[in-house]
Amino acid sequence: MKFPVEQFEGVQTPFYYYDKELLQQTLDVINREASRYAGFHVHYAVKANVDPTVLAMVNASGLGCDCVSGGEVKACLDAGFPASKIVFAGVGKADWEINLALDADIACFNVESAPELDVLNELAGAKGKVARVALRVNPNVDAHTHKYITTGLSENKFGIAMNMLDMIVHHAQLLPNISFEGLHFHIGSQILDMKPFEMLCHRVNQLSEELEAKGVRMKTINVGGGLGCDYVNPDEHPIPDFASYFKIFADHLALRRGQELHFELGRSVVCQCGALISRVLYVKEGNNKKFVILDAGMSDLIRPALYQAHHNIENITAAPDGPKEKYDVVGPICESSDTFGEDELLPVTRRGDLVALRSAGAYGQIMASNYNCRRIPASLVL
Ligand SMILES: *Cc1c(COP(=O)(O)O)cnc(C)c1O
């Protein structure tokens, strides 16, 4: 990623910069790699980033979307996504959210519990509609060997435990305003090791066989998202390894004839095309440390404070080959966790320099808040 610093002139900091060219290349690779396999359909998990230009580019590329709230369903409809490519997950869908999605005739509700199924049946019935449903299952993929898997364990708020699946599928088939389409999974996020995806495939095969043995046929399988991106070497890996990712599913998941396989990729689509651009307010010398104090803080990019996440920090206006110094890079907010990096080796940094926090395209701007009465950072898409 290159930074067109001349074009940052006069833009109020902090702001999110998105590189259209890199996003387009990423979308092209996703389409190229997924289209190698019959029946593969990719949705973009819009919770990662809803910048209007980003959404428009994703829509133009032909991806569908995956929503986790009524607001997201509305954002996708407003961005022009066809309802036939919208799926809607979430453990707590409010009635108005369900009604909004029913009115739009979205492709599929990813239902996470038995009571949700009953409410959906009732609301669809009141409109004289039939809601298409995939049941979200917790595949209980072993988390001990794969620490990044946090949502796929059997006992958590997401999805339906495997031992209850039978009963709930049966229940769904009896409801007049529900059409049971298949199963949905989502095992976690920032997964770089392909093994958990392979384990997921085996679990899907097993559940498919069990359901088939009971005469249940499925039109769709949805394996969610979770593919990670390289936060440490963004320039070496500007585009995640979609080829290996899709191949894992092609090799290990036994799709039935005519069955569709859906993916919901969020982070991997938009992570690397975005950076938070901030201006250095002060360089403060302590007894043993030097602090670079930015005008961006945890209200603009909360991932370091919330998940101890790493974002590469670059001074994009200082001469890169000059002398270097170690700094703690911090924000202006009244919380000690408002720190972006400790002992960062940067070119000698001065007030007024521009600093980029890299790989911030996913779960960056969208998680910004007004904490401390700060404004939400704007987008600059070039
Ligand atoms: C968050 C989420 C995704 C996307 O996850 P990424 O790790 O960003 O790919 C996909 N599906 C569901 C149901 C989600 O909640």
Side-chain angles (χ1 to χ4, degrees), residues 288-328:
N288 304 305
K289 276 180 176 281
K290 290 185 175 173
F291 295 92
V292 166
I293 302 172
L294 300 178
D295 64 1
M298 63 190 282
S299 62
D300 306 294
L301 177 63
I302 201 174
R303 297 188 68 259
L306 191 60
Y307 311 119
Q308 290 76 51
H310 168 86
H311 288 269
N312 278 5
I313 301 172
E314 283 173 29
N315 185 326
I316 57 173
T317 46
D321 312 321
K324 290 195 156 64
E325 285 249 42
K326 272 193 181 162
Y327 302 98
D328 281 13

Side-chain angles (χ1 to χ4, degrees), residues 94-238:
D95 292 13
W96 73 265
E97 296 178 300
I98 293 175
N99 280 325
L100 187 149
L102 283 170
D103 289 339
D105 264 325
I106 64 160
C108 196
F109 290 82
N110 294 330
V111 167
E112 309 217 9
S113 67
E116 183 192 334
L117 203 54
D118 290 331
V119 169
L120 180 55
N121 179 59
E122 191 184 311
L123 295 176
K127 292 180 186 294
K129 295 194 171 197
V130 173
R132 287 170 292 273
V133 161
L135 292 176
R136 176 165 175 181
V137 180
N138 263 317
N140 201 17
V141 172
D142 184 2
H144 299 297
T145 51
H146 304 284
K147 63 179 175 174
Y148 291 121
I149 297 174
T150 51
T151 62
L153 286 170
S154 66
E155 200 71 341
N156 70 48
K157 73 171 184 176
F158 299 105
I160 293 163
M162 283 186 294
N163 61 341
M164 298 182 177
L165 180 61
D166 248 21
M167 189 182 72
I168 298 180
V169 169
H170 184 66
H171 182 58
Q173 289 181 314
L174 294 176
L175 295 173
N177 298 95
I178 297 291
S179 164
F180 172 72
E181 305 281 301
L183 299 182
H184 173 237
F185 304 84
H186 175 64
I187 57 173
S189 205
Q190 185 51 18
I191 300 167
L192 288 167
D193 173 4
M194 295 292 159
K195 201 74 192 166
F197 294 121
E198 190 182 323
M199 285 156 64
L200 172 62
C201 290
H202 296 310
R203 187 68 87 201
V204 173
N205 293 342
Q206 176 203 337
L207 291 172
S208 295
E209 280 167 26
E210 285 172 16
L211 287 175
E212 270 177 11
K214 298 208 161 76
V216 179
R217 273 196 48 80
M218 291 189 284
K219 259 196 258 176
T220 68
I221 304 284
N222 182 330
V223 289
L227 179 64
C229 66
D230 189 341
Y231 284 96
V232 180
N233 297 300
D235 291 322
E236 267 170 56
H237 300 120

